[in-house]
Amino acid sequence: MRIGILNATGYSGGELVRYLAVHPEFEVVGATARSQAGRRLHEVFPWMRASGRAAYADLELTPELNGSADLVISCLPHKASAAKLAPFLDDGMRCIDVSSDFRLRNPADYLRWHGVEHAAPEWIDSGVYGLTEWHRDQIRETDLVANPGCHAITAALALAPAASAGLLAGHVMVDSKTGVSGAGRSASAAYGFSEINEDSSAYRVADHYQSPEISQELSDIGGSPIEVTFAPHLVPMTRGILITAYGALRADVAPSHVEQAYRDAYEDEPFVHLAGVPPHTKWTSGGNHAFVHWTVDEATQTLVAMAAIDNLGKGAAGSAVQNANVMAGIDEQVGLAIPPSHP
């Protein structure tokens, strides 16, 4: 399958190229950039010379994609991606959007959380939310995948088994710790080393655009509304997200019910691993894996669910490749058999 990448020079785009450089079934036939257009990929990412396909190092970054791709993956920022993908979708091309532009199904919600009208509202209903472990059948058939946000996919993986089994009483609280790369390559001085090192802080508490995404997905999986209070925190690491989520359980739910729900959901999943202890972000660095752990606080009948991922892997480029594999009808592990790096 021929792959075209919109905005290959950000962190997500660069990570996508890294995965595709070892993918035997996909070929990158075009990659765009904005300020870096006209340069070769190795001029932006010198490590491309050492990749699995050194020829990609000489790939010229162009302002626009030509029409030779079978699948377009957009790593453009939110509020820019939908407008660029719409012409490809109109032409019948399959697309994966790594931005948040097609995740929320209500255009009014998009306006509320992003402050602008949606650029391609006619395509919103066609998109399938790209949480592969829960929607692979729909992903296989769709022309448009809305890749989950990095916080949202981690929270969903942590809580979806309990939601699906009807164990939650309704409201959940999600605490997220995230690395600096989540802010992107063009982040402000506030994300510089001297500002971030030896520091941790919360941001956009109960006001983050991935909050409604988490609620929408858990409600869909559970079949009834699940409200979310979301508090993200920035911590001094490059990669990784660690979610700790708290949800009141129904009065008749026992720990054995929770255990069964998580085993049923993930026992056979290649990229989601049930951990016997709280997970570490380093377990996931550089890969497309998620580690999930849960416990029940029986004194308060509260589920405490944890999940760790690499925000650029399972939280962005890795899950995009996993979804692309499903769309292409091949084993979803192809090109993703990359163990996390440690330490």
Side-chain angles (χ1 to χ4, degrees):
M1 179 180 278
R2 298 168 298 175
I3 307 293
I5 303 172
L6 298 179
N7 195 33
T9 56
Y11 284 147
S12 295
E15 192 77 345
L16 181 60
V17 173
R18 184 176 75 89
Y19 282 115
L20 294 177
V22 297
H23 199 296
E25 302 290 337
F26 293 163
E27 178 188 4
V28 178
V29 295
T32 74
R34 295 181 293 178
S35 61
Q36 306 280 8
R39 304 182 75 189
R40 303 286 175 176
L41 199 54
H42 74 86
E43 296 179 89
V44 181
F45 297 122
W47 52 262
M48 279 302 306
R49 291 291 190 198
S51 75
R53 288 186 185 171
Y56 284 176
D58 291 319
L59 190 68
E60 183 180 357
L61 296 162
T62 58
E64 304 290 341
L65 280 181
N66 63 32
S68 64
D70 301 307
L71 174 71
V72 174
I73 304 177
S74 174
C75 296
L76 285 163
H78 320 308
K79 299 186 283 190
S81 191
K84 287 291 187 179
L85 282 178
F88 295 106
L89 291 164
D90 291 341
D91 287 342
M93 193 172 292
R94 306 183 84 182
C95 298
I96 296 174
D97 186 16
V98 178
S99 87
S100 68
D101 279 2
F102 291 102
R103 295 175 195 159
L104 298 178
R105 289 191 299 277
N106 187 336
D109 290 337
Y110 185 88
L111 176 62
R112 152 74 174 88
W113 289 95
H114 292 290
V116 297
E117 297 283 352
H118 198 281
E122 68 277 12
W123 282 102
I124 290 178
D125 289 341
S126 300
V128 172
Y129 191 71
L131 186 61
T132 324
E133 288 73 16
W134 293 88
H135 304 307
R136 53 173 56 92
D137 288 342
Q138 300 98 305
I139 291 167
R140 189 172 292 113
E141 303 299 327
T142 191
D143 288 332
L144 173 61
V145 169
N147 231 51
C150 52
H151 296 287
I153 194 172
T154 319
L157 290 172
L159 289 166
S164 177
L167 307 182
L168 298 174
H171 178 259
V172 297
M173 302 183 70
V174 177
D175 175 291
S176 180
K177 307 293 192 297
T178 183
V180 184
S181 60
R185 293 192 78 191
S186 57
S188 67
Y191 294 91
F193 177 82
S194 59
E195 301 289 338
I196 296 299
N197 189 43
E198 303 289 349
D199 186 51
S200 183
S201 61
Y203 65 98
R204 299 195 68 173
V205 177
D207 189 40
H208 194 284
Y209 66 90
Q210 289 187 36
S211 179
E213 180 185 343
I214 300 169
S215 179
Q216 175 182 275
E217 181 62 7
L218 292 178
S219 297
D220 284 355
I221 288 173
S224 61
I226 295 177
E227 299 298 328
V228 173
T229 299
F230 178 45
H233 300 73
L234 189 65
V235 297
M237 62 184 181
T238 301
R239 291 172 176 256
I241 287 183
L242 176 64
I243 287 278
T244 304
Y246 310 87
L249 294 168
R250 290 190 295 102
D252 59 341
V253 173
S256 60
H257 300 140
V258 179
E259 179 175 6
Q260 190 63 52
Y262 279 81
R263 292 200 178 279
D264 288 347
Y266 295 140
E267 204 161 37
D268 297 323
E269 288 295 338
F271 295 112
V272 183
H273 314 282
L274 292 176
V277 296
H280 292 235
T281 56
K282 275 199 171 184
W283 297 354
T284 71
S285 183
N288 186 54
H289 297 269
F291 288 85
V292 174
H293 176 76
W294 62 268
T295 189
V296 174
D297 181 350
E298 295 186 66
T300 61
Q301 191 64 357
T302 301
L303 171 68
V304 183
M306 290 152 270
I309 68 164
D310 182 330
N311 57 292
L312 297 179
K314 187 65 169 165
S319 62
V321 174
Q322 187 179 354
N323 286 324
N325 286 343
V326 174
M327 295 172 83
I330 61 177
D331 187 326
E332 62 195 68
Q333 298 182 70
V334 174
L336 295 171
I338 304 169
S341 59
H342 189 271

